[in-house]
Amino acid sequence: MTKENIQYHLKKLLQEGTVKRTTLSGGKEMPRGRPTYLYCLSQQSRQGNIPALADKLLELILNANPSLSSQPDFLNRLASSMFPFQPSSNQNQNLRQTIQRLNKHHYQASWEAHATGPYVYFRSCPYASIIKEHPELCLLDCDILALMLKSSVSQITKMDLENRKPPACTFLIKAE
């Protein structure tokens, strides 16, 4: 990588809030010359014990009521509480707003126009650490998109988190 390429990517990570910059001196008086900076994960990027907590909470809820995970109403209520959204009548505007909101939650989402309808891509799975134990979370992603876009949604491809092939989960947004 070139120096410029590294600077570009660091700037993007700083803007997203993924990393933070600190000085090498740790607050002590700096020697003369250019300051030396260290980069580390920001507080918002540290997951802490959240994945383990989410896993156990889902496990407790679903064990208390085993049929709950297969009930569309449960995932739909969960999706609407996670992503409350009032869509406009313009689908392109809704798609842009949906992608922006999802990217704030680390989906690395994008969309493309296709003859059969828009495709939405998730290049990162925010549930990666617990998706094997809770595959119903893929259905939650469909519900989130359906609620935000007021359209029916079907998942076309599912990303294999081990080898990244395909490199994204792909969803087809069907016109209503």
Side-chain angles (χ1 to χ4, degrees):
M1 270 188 145
T2 65
K3 178 182 168 186
E4 292 77 16
N5 201 358
I6 293 169
Q7 287 174 331
Y8 170 81
H9 289 289
L10 273 173
K11 182 179 177 183
K12 289 291 229 185
L13 290 169
L14 284 166
Q15 288 172 343
E16 292 172 1
T18 304
V19 297
K20 66 179 183 173
R21 182 171 70 179
T22 61
T23 60
L24 185 60
S25 68
K28 298 177 185 138
E29 190 171 323
M30 292 290 295
R32 290 188 184 151
R34 283 195 172 167
T36 302
Y37 294 106
L38 295 177
Y39 295 87
C40 61
L41 287 177
S42 66
Q43 189 62 37
Q44 82 178 35
S45 295
R46 296 185 185 145
Q47 291 183 348
N49 203 26
I50 299 299
L53 175 65
D55 176 38
K56 291 304 171 193
L57 285 172
L58 277 170
E59 189 177 300
L60 285 170
I61 291 168
L62 297 176
N63 284 342
N65 190 348
S67 66
L68 202 56
S69 67
S70 63
Q71 295 177 0
D73 185 50
F74 169 69
L75 293 174
N76 195 286
R77 285 193 338 248
L78 184 57
S80 64
S81 67
M82 289 173 64
F83 291 92
F85 187 67
Q86 291 297 321
S88 73
S89 58
N90 182 322
Q91 189 183 34
N92 285 345
Q93 182 179 353
N94 285 340
L95 278 163
R96 282 190 300 276
Q97 289 175 349
T98 297
I99 297 303
Q100 287 174 346
R101 292 213 37 218
L102 290 169
N103 285 337
K104 288 180 182 176
H105 294 274
H106 311 288
Y107 278 87
Q108 294 180 4
S110 62
W111 75 277
E112 290 178 357
H114 285 267
T116 55
Y119 282 17
V120 174
Y121 301 98
F122 293 169
R123 288 181 173 73
S124 176
C125 177
Y127 317 113
S129 59
I130 63 171
I131 197 74
K132 284 183 183 176
E133 294 82 15
H134 300 286
E136 63 274 6
L137 293 173
C138 289
L139 298 173
L140 177 65
D141 285 339
C142 279
D143 282 351
I144 289 169
L145 286 169
L147 281 168
M148 294 177 83
L149 298 171
K150 293 291 187 214
S151 298
S152 58
V153 176
S154 60
Q155 188 169 7
I156 298 171
T157 64
K158 186 174 180 180
M159 176 175 33
D160 179 356
L161 296 171
E162 303 281 324
N163 60 24
R164 307 289 290 177
K165 294 199 189 253
C169 291
T170 306
F171 300 88
L172 170 62
I173 313 305
K174 300 173 187 166
E176 293 286 312

